Amino acid sequence: MKKRSAFLPVVMLPHRLLLGGCLLLALWGMPVQAKNISYRIDGISGDLKENVETHLAALPSIQPGRIEYRGKQIRSAVEQGLQALGYYQSRIQLQVDEQNPALLHVQVTKGKPVTIRTLRVQLLGDALNDEAFDRLLKQLPLKQGDVLNHGKYEDIKSALATRAANRGYFDAELVTSRVKVYPDELVADVVIEFSSGHRYHFGEARIVGVTESLRLIHPLLTFKAGDPYQAQDLATLSQSLSETRYFRQVDVRPLLNETRDHQVPIYIGLEPKSDNLVETGVGYSTDEGPRVQLNWEKPWLNSHGHSLAAQFKMSQPKQDLKFNYRIPGKDPINDYYNLQTGYEHTDLNDTRSSKTSAGIHYWTKKLGNWERDYFTRLEYESFRQGLSEGNSLLLIPGVSLNRLRVDKAIDPEFGDRILLTTEFSQPAWGSDLGFTRLWARTKWLRTPWEGARFTTRLEQGGIIGSNLDEMPPSLRFFAGGDQSVRGFGFETISPVDASGQLTGARYVTTGSLEYAHPVAEKWRLASFIDAGTATNDYQDPLRVGTGLGMRWISPFGPIRFDLAFGVSETHIPWRLHFGLGAEL
């Protein structure tokens, strides 16, 4: 007789029904996500409270029903936050809020802090004779008698390692680092022993990639083989090479795996820019309206580093075409010559002018922070200004000085700029007119307290000699506009002739005071007052404009919107002003 095997019947279900059932079973067994607990810390404040909050935030998520089981872990996190800043005898109480089970009260009685009884930071090796390390030891963030702060203790070790790396102590090591805490005595002993080893020196400079540029690069090398290594020298060299505008990519670094006799070779990798660079741009301002710009540059013309550039700018009132041939001097960054030629056409208000110019400029930055531009220009200008018209051929030598100081490029809190120009002309060397023209502008930005930004601007110019009617419009003075007196049109402040048309002026004086206050992230509300005049004898009344504006700190730079009113006029004019560009 055959035995029959026992079995359970298998029911074949449609696959979709089977899949749905599996999902339901999975969801049935899945725990419901409860709200994680939050903490309220009492009894401490300031840095101590922030440090405890940081340690608590690093804990894994804890659900309200698990507080009792995780209490030891919570206490440990609080203790670590307190001890890091020197508090080793604190009392900690945990209490769940009666109304909100997801809120845990952490009551801290911090007690007295541990202070440093002895602090010994000892140097070994060549760093013993390095003044930079002497300064570091005199400025340690911890001293004997201070409250123990483990963060500052770590800062000391980090500062030693960073200074060693920056000054060529590539074999440096931390021999001893120890903090012994005696909680019952409320004291701690700190010991740090740092061995710098030998200081390395610069080896050979290996220039790779642009051999024809060696003559240009060598003046930028502020170090030579055998000099003590400093990372700052390499950073300065890298920045200088980038500023030459010859290279698309610059790579300056020490070859630490090729050191020999405590000398480290320096790799200088250079990739030249393309043969032709073309840039286009569009913009808008209330002074000139919409404008377009096209730039073309050929960075390398020959092995001497000569370059050629052209620029075309067009707006409704002005069209400008310039060519620039640049010849580097002994220092390609701080010393070069420019041969310039160009054509400019202006059709603005009562001015009609066509000017052709050619000149030579010598630019240098070897006077501290001042940039100097010595120039001689030859200009021919045909013009009509109001009722007067004429033409002039002028040979104009002169000098311009420019100094810019700023703490940040995009959104500075401190900075100022000063511009000074002196130019003159005399019939003795073939000019049609004899005159001396002086012009200066300064702008200051200060933030005396957080959130308060004050900007001031002053401008003064004057022409000595010559009949003003014979002067070309490009050399006369006008006022009004975004960068002059807001509330008035661009270059609309000027004396007028018998027909009521603008003539331009012999003198210009303008000033501005502006205050800006933050109202949201990246946004500031500004109020301002501008005043000024363009005049021949200072008998004309000052024009005054005032108003409100908004400042948006965009990724491309500050964007300014101003609503200004010419309050000095009987019938008060108003204008919207818009500008994009650097604050200074």
Side-chain angles (χ1 to χ4, degrees):
M1 187 175 194
K2 293 183 179 179
K3 294 184 179 180
R4 298 171 63 182
S5 300
F7 64 95
L8 293 175
V10 177
V11 180
M12 300 301 293
L13 299 174
H15 69 279
R16 289 183 180 148
L17 186 58
L18 181 62
L19 178 60
C22 293
L23 289 173
L24 286 173
L25 289 173
L27 291 172
W28 180 267
M30 185 180 295
V32 178
Q33 182 66 39
K35 182 179 180 181
N36 297 324
I37 67 169
S38 59
Y39 306 93
R40 176 175 175 177
I41 303 171
D42 297 310
I44 54 176
S45 60
D47 293 341
L48 193 58
K49 183 176 181 179
E50 290 182 7
N51 205 48
V52 170
E53 289 173 339
T54 299
H55 280 75
L56 288 173
L59 290 175
S61 300
I62 301 175
Q63 298 175 11
R66 304 291 295 174
I67 293 178
E68 181 179 351
Y69 302 99
R70 304 288 287 275
K72 185 177 180 180
Q73 190 177 11
I74 295 171
R75 287 178 181 275
S76 177
V78 176
E79 288 174 353
Q80 291 174 19
L82 295 168
Q83 291 174 3
L85 297 184
Y87 291 87
Y88 280 77
Q89 289 191 342
S90 305
R91 293 197 305 271
I92 304 167
Q93 292 180 317
L94 306 180
Q95 180 67 46
V96 178
D97 190 272
E98 295 180 358
Q99 304 297 325
N100 181 7
L103 176 62
L104 179 64
H105 292 269
V106 181
Q107 180 66 42
V108 178
T109 304
K110 63 182 180 180
K112 293 182 178 180
V114 170
T115 59
I116 297 175
R117 179 170 59 186
T118 60
L119 173 64
R120 182 164 65 90
V121 181
Q122 183 177 357
L123 293 178
L124 304 172
D126 289 354
L128 279 170
N129 301 315
D130 192 330
E131 293 182 357
F133 278 89
D134 289 340
R135 293 192 298 270
L136 177 61
L137 295 182
K138 292 176 182 178
Q139 300 171 357
L140 293 178
L142 280 180
K143 296 181 176 59
Q144 185 174 336
D146 287 354
V147 173
L148 176 63
N149 185 312
H150 287 269
K152 292 182 179 180
Y153 162 72
E154 295 295 332
D155 289 343
I156 293 175
K157 296 191 294 182
S158 177
L160 288 168
T162 299
R163 186 147 303 189
N166 288 340
R167 296 183 66 79
Y169 298 92
F170 298 122
D171 299 325
E173 60 177 345
L174 199 61
V175 179
T176 303
S177 60
R178 181 174 65 246
V179 179
K180 285 189 175 181
V181 180
Y182 304 91
D184 294 339
E185 302 177 38
L186 295 175
V187 295
D189 298 325
V190 179
V191 177
I192 297 175
E193 292 183 357
F194 186 80
S195 176
S196 68
H198 291 291
R199 185 177 186 182
Y200 283 70
H201 291 68
F202 286 113
E204 63 172 330
R206 300 180 185 174
I207 303 173
V208 178
V210 187
T211 56
E212 64 268 26
S213 64
L214 297 182
R215 189 186 70 83
L216 298 171
I217 295 172
H218 282 300
L220 304 179
L221 294 172
T222 57
F223 57 87
K224 60 183 183 297
D227 288 348
Y229 177 93
Q230 292 195 76
Q232 182 59 45
D233 289 340
L234 299 188
T236 300
L237 174 61
S238 180
Q239 180 178 352
S240 297
L241 290 169
S242 298
E243 289 178 357
T244 62
R245 298 162 51 192
Y246 293 125
F247 308 110
R248 178 169 58 185
Q249 185 171 339
V250 175
D251 182 12
V252 179
R253 66 178 187 272
L255 299 173
L256 298 179
N257 59 340
E258 298 184 30
T259 58
R260 183 177 181 181
D261 298 328
H262 296 107
Q263 289 199 342
V264 54
I266 304 302
Y267 176 84
I268 305 174
L270 303 171
E271 182 179 344
K273 287 186 176 180
S274 304
D275 290 340
N276 293 279
L277 301 176
V278 178
E279 294 179 345
T280 59
V282 296
Y284 178 86
S285 73
T286 47
D287 282 353
E288 296 185 47
R291 59 177 179 267
V292 296
Q293 181 171 320
L294 175 65
N295 297 330
W296 169 81
E297 182 180 6
K298 191 173 182 64
W300 287 94
L301 284 176
N302 51 45
S303 61
H304 298 288
H306 294 195
S307 61
L308 179 64
Q311 182 183 77
F312 173 67
K313 294 190 295 185
M314 183 175 68
S315 63
Q316 191 279 325
K318 291 186 178 182
Q319 298 83 48
D320 188 4
L321 177 62
K322 292 180 180 178
F323 292 92
N324 181 47
Y325 189 93
R326 177 170 167 167
I327 305 172
K330 295 181 179 180
D331 183 340
I333 294 181
N334 298 317
D335 189 18
Y336 60 82
Y337 298 87
N338 274 337
L339 304 179
Q340 295 181 346
T341 184
Y343 172 80
E344 180 180 308
H345 177 74
T346 302
D347 186 352
L348 174 66
N349 301 325
D350 302 322
T351 304
R352 305 292 183 273
S353 170
S354 295
K355 181 176 68 173
T356 304
S357 63
I360 180 170
H361 295 248
Y362 171 63
W363 186 93
T364 181
K365 195 179 180 180
K366 296 182 178 180
L367 186 64
N369 293 325
W370 290 90
E371 300 175 3
R372 290 176 290 171
D373 179 12
Y374 300 98
F375 59 84
T376 298
R377 301 193 314 270
L378 179 65
E379 296 183 349
Y380 176 78
E381 187 167 350
S382 176
F383 63 88
R384 180 167 60 85
Q385 182 67 54
L387 293 176
S388 66
E389 58 182 300
N391 54 70
S392 63
L393 179 64
L394 302 174
L395 182 63
I396 307 174
V399 59
S400 291
L401 301 179
N402 179 14
R403 189 193 72 180
L404 173 64
R405 302 185 303 177
V406 66
D407 60 350
K408 292 181 291 184
I410 296 296
D411 186 26
E413 297 180 354
F414 168 92
D416 51 65
R417 181 188 285 274
I418 301 176
L419 297 166
L420 303 166
T421 298
T422 300
E423 50 192 350
F424 47 94
S425 179
Q426 287 295 328
W429 53 61
S431 290
D432 290 341
L433 304 172
F435 62 86
T436 298
R437 187 178 187 272
L438 307 171
W439 180 83
R441 172 182 285 175
T442 181
K443 192 171 184 179
W444 294 66
L445 170 65
R446 295 293 186 268
T447 306
W449 60 85
E450 185 176 0
R453 293 167 60 89
F454 290 90
T455 305
T456 61
R457 171 174 41 83
L458 294 173
E459 176 189 17
Q460 180 62 54
I463 300 171
I464 303 172
S466 185
N467 183 346
L468 189 69
D469 288 340
E470 298 175 348
M471 293 282 291
S474 62
L475 295 175
R476 305 185 196 188
F477 291 109
F478 299 83
D482 297 346
Q483 300 299 315
S484 183
V485 182
R486 283 165 286 187
F488 296 85
F490 180 49
E491 296 191 352
T492 58
I493 300 176
S494 158
V496 296
D497 57 25
S499 67
Q501 298 184 77
L502 304 175
T503 64
R506 185 176 293 275
Y507 307 107
V508 66
T509 302
T510 66
S512 175
L513 176 62
E514 177 176 301
Y515 171 73
H517 192 82
V519 293
E521 186 178 2
K522 303 296 184 181
W523 286 91
R524 297 189 182 98
L525 176 65
S527 60
F528 58 86
I529 181 170
D530 301 341
T533 184
T535 180
N536 293 324
D537 51 17
Y538 283 98
Q539 299 299 312
D540 306 290
L542 283 178
R543 307 295 181 90
V544 180
T546 186
L548 298 174
M550 292 298 297
R551 307 288 179 263
W552 176 41
I553 313 305
S554 76
F556 314 102
I559 297 179
R560 300 176 294 276
F561 308 90
D562 290 327
L563 175 60
F565 299 88
V567 295
S568 58
E569 308 304 292
T570 303
H571 301 287
I572 298 178
W574 64 274
R575 288 182 68 86
L576 286 170
H577 295 274
F578 168 82
L580 168 64
E583 194 79 40
L584 297 171

